Structure formats: structure tokens, C-alpha cells
Amino acid sequence: AQSVAQPEDQVNVAEGNPLTVKCTYSVSGNPYLFWYVQYPNRGLQFLLKYITGDNLVKGSYGFEAEFNKSQTSFHLKKPSALVSDSALYFCAVRDGVGNSGGYQKVTFGIGTKLQVIP
Amino acid sequence: DAGITQSPRHKVTETGTPVTLRCHQTENHRYMYWYRQDPGHGLRLIHYSYGVKDTDKGEVSDGYSVSRSKTEDFLLTLESATSSQTSVYFCAISVGQGPYNEQFFGPGTRLTVL
């Protein structure tokens, strides 16, 4: 069974400082990893994904994420936080094993609230 | 919100009544999904569709049914609403069904069952 853990309910960071939102995963095969952001009263928006290749993935709004296979982690990062980055962030994983063409379930984490303090 | 609309955006209903939520997309994507979002649970898949009249259950499908008679519309029905179905419901689409395809979400419907 696949799973995702976001160990922090909330992350607080000062504006201008680097931010990290943590995510660890468990899958049987190769992982396909995603980050989404949710602003208040909105649906989730796709930020970035890891499929294969370079372990550092760059996405929207200056975000990036680092895939670490040995630590089974996919932490979201940004060099300099903005107040407008304050939102709820979701990590998600899909298992690449057994993909015979049928639906592959996506498992979402419970979300981490990012608060950027002016 | 990727050309996805949901209606209604808010609804309050009473226990035991049927409720239908509508998801409409403008880009004729084949794959559509219904999720519910609850604190402490993240998003959980209710049902999904891989084409007109082709649907299947997700992980929390009890008490819900879906229909897809046209590519652009995916309906979620709560056959007899219960308080445990109070939640925020999101529709999503994906461009393909491969495991590497990200999903695009609608704005959500906040449902309260009294």
C-alpha cells in the first residue's frame, strides 16, 4: 500500500527566509510525486511533479522540490518566502508499479499549512 | 481553475434528502474525479470516470453514486445525505490516466448536512 506523510501541521517562516515543507512517502515501485497548493476557498493547484531524472524539480511560483530516494522524501522548498505563499500545501504520490493501463490511485497527504510572517 | 466549474458552490440540506453535485469541464478531458476534503484526512477519492458511462469506485464510495452521460459533465449524488457527508467536495480532471499526470481541480462545493 502506498502512503504519504506530512509530519508538520503548520510551518511558520519569516518573509524573505527560505522555507521547507516536508513530505515522505512509501510505495512498492517507482514513485510519481506531486505538490499542490490550496488557497482559501479554492481548489488545489498543481505546483510541480517528479517523474524521473533530475532529483531537483522546479515548479510554479519559484517553488522547487528535492527527491531523495534513500530517505523516501520529496520536500518542497523556496529560497525566499513571500506573504502570498501562505496557503495549505499537499504532497501526493502515485505508485508506478503495476501500471497496466488501469487507474493508478493518488494518495494525498493531510496537508501542511504554511504561514509566512511579514 | 482549469475550465472546471462546480455547482452549487454551497449547499445546506437535511439528513435523508438526496443531493446532486455537478462538475462541468470545457476541455473534453476523458478522466474526471470526485474527492472529498476533510480536516485530518487530506483528499479522498469517492468515484472516478474514464469516459462516458464508464465509472468506478474510489476509497470512500459508500453512500455516493455518480453518472457521466456526457464528456463534459460528471454528477455526484448523495442518495440519502447523512451528517458524516458534511464536507468540501472537489471535482478534478487529468489530461491522461498515466501515473505521471497531474490533476486539475475545480473550486469546490461546501456541503452541510444538518
Side-chain angles (χ1 to χ4, degrees):
Chain A
Q2 63 192 41
S3 64
V4 172
Q6 293 183 243
E8 302 154 316
D9 290 336
Q10 182 161 333
V11 170
N12 296 320
V13 62
E15 186 176 25
N17 282 3
L19 69 87
T20 298
V21 182
K22 295 179 180 178
C23 172
T24 59
Y25 67 90
S26 175
V27 296
S28 300
N30 293 322
Y32 297 91
L33 294 154
F34 306 82
W35 276 103
Y36 292 86
V37 60
Q38 184 181 32
Y39 298 101
N41 300 313
R42 300 288 299 276
L44 277 69
Q45 296 178 32
F46 169 72
L47 274 180
L48 51 79
K49 65 182 177 183
Y50 171 82
I51 301 173
T52 186
D54 195 346
N55 289 343
L56 186 64
V57 179
K58 294 189 183 296
S60 306
Y61 312 120
F63 284 93
E64 58 190 26
E66 186 170 13
F67 171 66
N68 187 316
K69 187 173 183 178
S70 63
Q71 296 186 3
T72 61
S73 67
F74 189 55
H75 300 331
L76 182 69
K77 300 181 179 183
K78 188 173 182 181
S80 179
L82 300 173
V83 173
S84 58
D85 293 329
S86 299
L88 190 58
Y89 290 82
F90 290 93
C91 182
V93 67
R94 257 178 163 161
D95 194 337
V97 74
N99 180 28
S100 59
Y103 173 72
Q104 289 294 106
K105 174 187 172 182
V106 179
T107 298
F108 287 86
I110 63 172
T112 298
K113 183 178 180 180
L114 175 66
Q115 190 76 32
V116 181
I117 303 162
Chain B
D1 293 314
I4 304 169
T5 57
Q6 293 184 231
S7 58
R9 292 294 312 280
H10 302 270
K11 186 169 182 66
V12 179
T13 191
E14 294 186 351
T15 298
T17 60
V19 176
T20 295
L21 309 182
R22 179 179 182 245
C23 176
H24 178 79
Q25 57 142 330
T26 59
E27 299 179 4
N28 291 323
H29 293 296
R30 181 178 171 188
Y31 302 97
M32 299 184 75
Y33 313 85
W34 275 108
Y35 290 91
R36 59 177 290 172
Q37 182 181 20
D38 303 288
H41 291 277
L43 270 74
R44 293 179 291 175
L45 182 67
I46 305 171
H47 283 278
Y48 65 97
S49 170
Y50 46 97
V52 173
K53 300 190 188 306
D54 292 324
T55 65
D56 207 346
K57 296 179 179 180
E59 58 184 308
V60 290
S61 59
D62 287 348
Y64 301 94
S65 62
V66 290
S67 65
R68 192 164 177 205
S69 58
K70 298 185 291 183
T71 299
E72 59 266 35
D73 290 325
F74 192 30
L75 304 181
L76 176 71
T77 297
L78 288 66
E79 293 139 8
S80 176
T82 68
S83 58
S84 64
Q85 294 175 312
T86 293
S87 186
V88 181
Y89 291 85
F90 288 99
C91 176
I93 62 98
S94 61
V95 174
Q97 58 104 41
Y100 41 81
N101 290 114
E102 62 270 28
Q103 296 180 339
F104 298 90
F105 289 80
T109 294
R110 184 173 296 275
L111 176 68
T112 302
V113 183
L114 301 176

